[in-house]
Amino acid sequence: MFKNLTIKSRLIFTLSFLVAFLLGIEMLGLFGMSKANDGLKTVYEDRVIPLGQLEHIESLLHQSRLAIAAALVTPTPEVIDKNTATFEKNVKEITKTWEEYMATYLTPEEEKLAGKFSEDRKKFVTEGLMPEVAALRTNDIKKANQIVVEKVRPLYELVKEDISALINLQIDVAKQEYRYQQDRYATIRNIFIALIIIVLAVAVLISVAFTRAVFGPLEKAVKIARGVAAGDFTQQIEVRSADEIGQLMQALKEMNDSLVKIIGQLRDSETHVRAMLNNLIEGIITINEYGAIGTFNSAAERIFGYTEAEVIEKNVSMLMPSPYHEAHDGYLAHYLQTGEKKIIGIGREVVGLRKDGTTFPMELAVIETRQGERRIFTGSVRDISKRRQAEEQKARLIHELESTHEELKSFAYVVSHDLKAPLRAISALAGWLSHDYSDKFDEEGKEHMRLLIKRVYRMDNLINGILQYSRVGQVKEKMIAVDLDQLVREVIDLLSPPANIVVTIENTLPTVMAEPTRIEQVFQNLLSNAIKYMDKPQGEIRIACSSEGKLWEFRITDNGPGIELRHFERIFQLFQTLVPRDRVEGTGVGLSLVKKIVEMYGGKIWLESKVGEGSTFFFTLPKTVTTASSN
């Protein structure tokens, strides 16, 4: 009966059986796991919670005893009041916790021990602790000590022994019940695993049976279909059943007979055309005189995003955006009527439309051929999007660079000529006033003149810093091998640090390919900042270098005032200083200049600092090295 069913019916029956079987196994497993969880919950509620209550009571008893002992050691009214209050609070808490414990599930042996503890605790409180508290409150220290020796200590040991025995019994019972629940869980798990193995075995048996009954004939049909697809039309196809497989075999037989009739006519031309089209890098599209697509090679599939099956027999205008899409049929009809060529035989750039709706520029060349009375138009298509984008980007970048260059040149001219000339006049006039009218100025006036001259000098330095910053990357020096070990020593000599500041080069610095002036500006600005802002009586500045893969990593460390974390980014911005300029002379350009030079060489700069302890500036340079040594 099962064999007479269709494949669909067999699949439905088999899957229904497996689903029902799996649901049954799942329900059994869930039921077993639920029971195991309930058992573990019971162990927790009946054993773990009471055990915690007993430990809490034991802790409170110990605290009460310590409170009494502390009151005896320091029998001041404040200590006695505080500790007796603690004792009374603990007695209430013990009573409450004990009542909760007695409400839990207890074995007969636990009830016996609990009764003994209850009696001993009552004696400990009423005969020991309560009289002790009364004696303490009347400040009868002698009597209090006597009660401690005669009552409190022996009764506490008895109560401690009871509670310990009760806790140990609770632990033993909890272990026994936990092992029982574990064994129960293991049994359920093993049963569940066994059932899963049974299900898998049944599934394997069903799969084998189903494969033999269904997939055997299907595999035969697949083999026949592959033979037909490979061009073997001599196979004997037998139809033995009326089910889906029989219908499939009948369809294969009809398809084979039909292909035998037409394959001879198409094979030669198809082989030739396909070989030619698939070996071209340009997209090749052929259409008839009505615009219907006949050929669409693999390159065209990549360009337009359509597969060949999606476009065959469809109008080629689907590959064109508006307004070309709407006008194409009219162009084609006009050519067929007049013979006037606009694209045919003439290569030109046009716009194509991809499957995803995006447009792109392309080169199109069309030729016309004839097959009997039919006209065939073959178009060769090449996507030129990347070339067009590269040309546009190049033009845009050149324009931006030219504009930027002109702006920088104009800026440099304004700064050097239009700003510095008035500054020189102000500086000369201020110097003349200070010299010729010094006897007419009081102290405040002299101070104002001093500040005026100083701020003129600061403005001049600021303009020089801006010029240096703007010329980085614009004015090029020759790249030569620069011995940084020698260069840094010359920079230190030029800066002439005060006697209280020691500058140390910790290891031999490498030789790199760089512009000497630029690399000197980096070290000069970093070292001059470390010297300028030093606030320690004995200043230390250390210079070091290490090899980090393809980079040299330089470190300049000082024991100066340090920099707060929130200023780490700010100090590398133009005109930003952390100290008022009237207190420490600075333009706020130095570190910006250093950052720009380092990044121009492909490196980076950062710092680590602790306020009050000092700072370390790190920067890297690529290893464009001729000769270098590093200890």
Side-chain angles (χ1 to χ4, degrees):
M1 180 179 177
F2 187 77
K3 291 183 178 179
N4 296 328
L5 296 174
T6 62
I7 295 174
K8 181 178 179 181
S9 300
R10 295 182 209 176
L11 283 173
I12 292 173
F13 176 84
T14 304
L15 291 175
S16 299
F17 173 78
L18 286 176
V19 168
F21 198 76
L22 288 173
L23 285 175
I25 297 299
E26 186 70 17
M27 291 176 65
L28 287 174
L30 291 174
F31 178 78
M33 297 303 293
S34 175
K35 288 296 182 182
N37 285 335
D38 289 341
L40 291 173
K41 181 179 178 182
T42 301
V43 171
Y44 176 78
E45 292 176 350
D46 291 348
R47 297 300 162 200
V48 178
I49 293 176
L51 185 60
Q53 292 169 339
L54 290 176
E55 290 176 346
H56 184 53
I57 291 171
E58 184 182 35
S59 174
L60 291 172
L61 287 170
H62 184 65
Q63 288 180 16
S64 299
R65 185 187 174 194
L66 289 177
I68 296 300
L72 283 173
V73 172
T74 311
T76 63
E78 293 81 9
V79 173
I80 290 172
D81 289 341
K82 178 182 177 182
N83 286 280
T84 54
T86 299
F87 159 74
E88 290 173 350
K89 178 183 176 183
N90 288 348
V91 167
K92 292 179 181 179
E93 182 67 19
I94 289 169
T95 301
K96 178 184 175 184
T97 306
W98 180 251
E99 290 173 356
E100 293 173 352
Y101 171 75
M102 290 302 293
T104 62
Y105 173 79
L106 300 176
T107 64
E109 188 176 359
E110 288 174 325
E111 289 179 349
K112 181 179 177 182
L113 284 174
K116 185 173 183 305
F117 169 77
S118 182
E119 293 176 2
D120 292 341
R121 181 182 69 86
K122 184 175 181 182
K123 288 176 63 178
F124 175 63
V125 173
T126 57
E127 296 180 16
L129 294 178
M130 296 298 289
E132 176 70 13
V133 169
L136 285 170
R137 285 180 171 169
T138 58
N139 205 23
D140 191 350
I141 305 304
K142 181 177 180 181
K143 183 178 180 181
N145 282 317
Q146 181 181 357
I147 293 171
V148 166
V149 174
E150 295 177 0
K151 292 292 185 180
V152 174
R153 289 179 182 172
L155 289 173
Y156 175 79
E157 294 298 324
L158 188 60
V159 170
K160 183 179 179 182
E161 180 180 348
D162 293 341
I163 196 75
S164 297
L166 198 53
I167 289 173
N168 291 332
L169 181 59
Q170 279 278 2
I171 292 172
D172 291 338
V173 172
K175 286 180 178 178
Q176 292 173 6
E177 293 186 4
Y178 180 75
R179 289 194 192 100
Y180 168 76
Q181 294 299 334
Q182 272 192 323
D183 294 339
R184 185 181 179 190
Y185 176 83
T187 302
I188 294 171
R189 180 194 60 196
N190 293 336
I191 293 172
F192 193 66
I193 291 172
L195 290 173
I196 290 174
I197 293 172
I198 292 171
V199 171
L200 291 175
V202 171
V204 170
L205 292 174
I206 292 174
S207 298
V208 171
F210 196 86
T211 300
R212 290 178 179 175
V214 176
F215 289 98
L218 279 176
E219 288 173 356
K220 185 177 180 180
V222 169
K223 183 178 179 181
I224 292 172
R226 285 177 176 171
V228 172
D232 182 6
F233 305 107
T234 62
Q235 302 177 88
Q236 295 297 321
I237 304 174
E238 299 178 1
V239 181
R240 296 183 178 180
S241 65
D243 61 8
E244 290 93 332
I245 295 176
Q247 296 172 18
L248 175 62
M249 297 297 285
Q250 180 63 36
L252 283 173
K253 188 176 184 303
E254 294 173 359
M255 179 183 71
N256 184 73
D257 296 338
S258 176
L259 286 174
V260 167
K261 294 178 182 178
I262 62 174
I263 197 66
Q265 304 172 10
L266 298 176
R267 180 171 289 173
D268 293 339
S269 61
E270 179 73 9
T271 301
H272 175 73
V273 172
R274 286 293 175 187
M276 178 186 69
L277 293 180
N278 289 329
N279 286 323
L280 294 175
I281 61 173
E282 290 89 359
I284 301 297
I285 306 169
T286 63
I287 64 171
N288 60 19
E289 57 264 40
Y290 304 106
I293 297 174
T295 303
F296 200 77
N297 74 341
S298 57
E301 290 179 341
R302 290 194 300 273
I303 293 172
F304 289 95
Y306 291 99
T307 63
E308 185 178 25
E310 292 176 305
V311 299
I312 291 298
E313 299 301 328
K314 294 183 179 178
N315 195 289
V316 73
S317 61
M318 67 183 293
L319 306 178
M320 306 172 185
S322 294
Y324 310 108
H325 173 85
E326 293 79 3
H328 175 264
D329 290 343
Y331 292 154
L332 188 58
H334 178 76
Y335 169 72
L336 293 173
Q337 292 174 3
T338 64
E340 181 183 350
K341 298 180 179 179
K342 293 186 176 180
I343 295 180
I344 297 172
I346 305 170
R348 59 183 293 185
E349 291 185 6
V350 295
V351 179
L353 177 67
R354 294 191 181 94
K355 180 180 179 180
D356 60 7
T358 59
T359 59
F360 64 98
M362 66 181 187
E363 287 182 345
L364 173 64
V366 181
I367 61 173
E368 179 185 359
T369 59
R370 286 181 178 268
Q371 292 183 358
E373 296 297 320
R374 298 172 57 208
R375 290 185 177 187
I376 301 296
F377 300 95
T378 302
S380 173
V381 176
R382 177 174 292 181
D383 186 351
I384 58 172
S385 300
K386 292 183 178 179
R387 187 178 76 188
R388 188 70 65 78
Q389 290 173 0
E391 291 172 353
E392 292 174 357
Q393 185 177 14
K394 180 180 177 181
R396 184 172 63 255
L397 289 174
I398 290 173
H399 178 72
E400 291 175 357
L401 286 172
E402 289 175 350
S403 298
T404 302
H405 182 67
E406 290 301 320
E407 290 174 2
L408 286 174
K409 284 169 54 179
S410 300
F411 175 74
Y413 176 80
V414 170
V415 169
S416 60
H417 183 271
D418 294 355
L419 292 181
K420 295 192 74 171
L423 280 179
R424 285 192 292 269
I426 293 171
S427 176
L429 180 60
W432 175 70
L433 288 172
S434 298
H435 181 268
D436 292 356
Y437 290 88
S438 60
D439 57 338
K440 294 180 172 58
F441 289 129
D442 56 12
E443 290 302 319
E444 184 178 0
K446 291 178 180 179
E447 177 63 18
H448 289 332
M449 290 303 299
R450 185 189 66 79
L451 287 175
L452 174 62
I453 294 172
K454 183 177 180 181
R455 288 171 181 172
V456 169
Y457 288 152
R458 182 193 302 161
M459 188 64 183
D460 187 65
N461 291 335
L462 180 60
I463 293 171
N464 290 333
I466 294 172
L467 283 172
Q468 289 180 349
Y469 186 83
S470 66
R471 287 171 180 168
V472 173
Q474 300 293 322
V475 180
K476 298 288 185 181
E477 289 185 89
K478 184 179 179 181
M479 298 283 284
I480 63 173
V482 180
D483 184 349
L484 295 183
D485 204 69
Q486 178 182 350
L487 182 143
V488 171
R489 296 182 190 278
E490 291 174 355
V491 169
I492 295 171
D493 290 341
L494 180 66
L495 293 174
S496 299
N500 69 314
I501 298 177
V502 177
V503 182
T504 306
I505 301 176
E506 295 188 339
N507 58 328
T508 304
L509 303 181
T511 297
V512 300
M513 292 297 295
E515 299 170 284
T517 302
R518 297 288 178 240
I519 207 71
E520 180 181 352
Q521 286 176 319
V522 171
F523 283 98
Q524 183 172 344
N525 277 288
L526 291 174
L527 290 172
S528 65
N529 279 354
I531 294 169
K532 184 190 304 181
Y533 293 103
M534 180 61 65
D535 63 343
K536 304 294 190 301
Q538 294 298 322
E540 295 180 3
I541 301 174
R542 303 190 306 277
I543 306 166
C545 177
S546 61
S547 175
E548 302 293 338
K550 295 182 180 180
L551 300 171
W552 293 112
E553 182 178 287
F554 297 89
R555 300 181 299 279
I556 298 180
T557 304
D558 64 68
N559 65 336
I563 300 170
E564 295 183 29
L565 178 62
R566 61 192 177 94
H567 297 312
F568 279 12
E569 294 294 331
R570 177 187 166 196
I571 60 172
F572 291 108
Q573 299 174 7
L574 271 174
F575 313 126
Q576 297 295 321
T577 61
L578 303 182
V579 178
R581 289 184 172 89
D582 287 334
R583 189 171 65 180
V584 177
E585 192 64 41
T587 62
V589 176
L591 288 179
S592 302
L593 184 65
V594 169
K595 184 174 185 292
K596 188 173 183 180
I597 293 172
V598 169
E599 291 179 350
M600 181 183 71
Y601 284 120
K604 64 177 182 176
I605 184 168
W606 71 98
L607 77 150
E608 295 176 359
S609 181
K610 289 186 178 180
V611 177
E613 297 183 15
S615 305
T616 299
F617 281 84
F618 300 83
F619 68 91
T620 58
L621 293 174
K623 284 186 177 178
T624 48
V625 180
T626 52
T627 57
S629 60
S630 180
N631 296 333

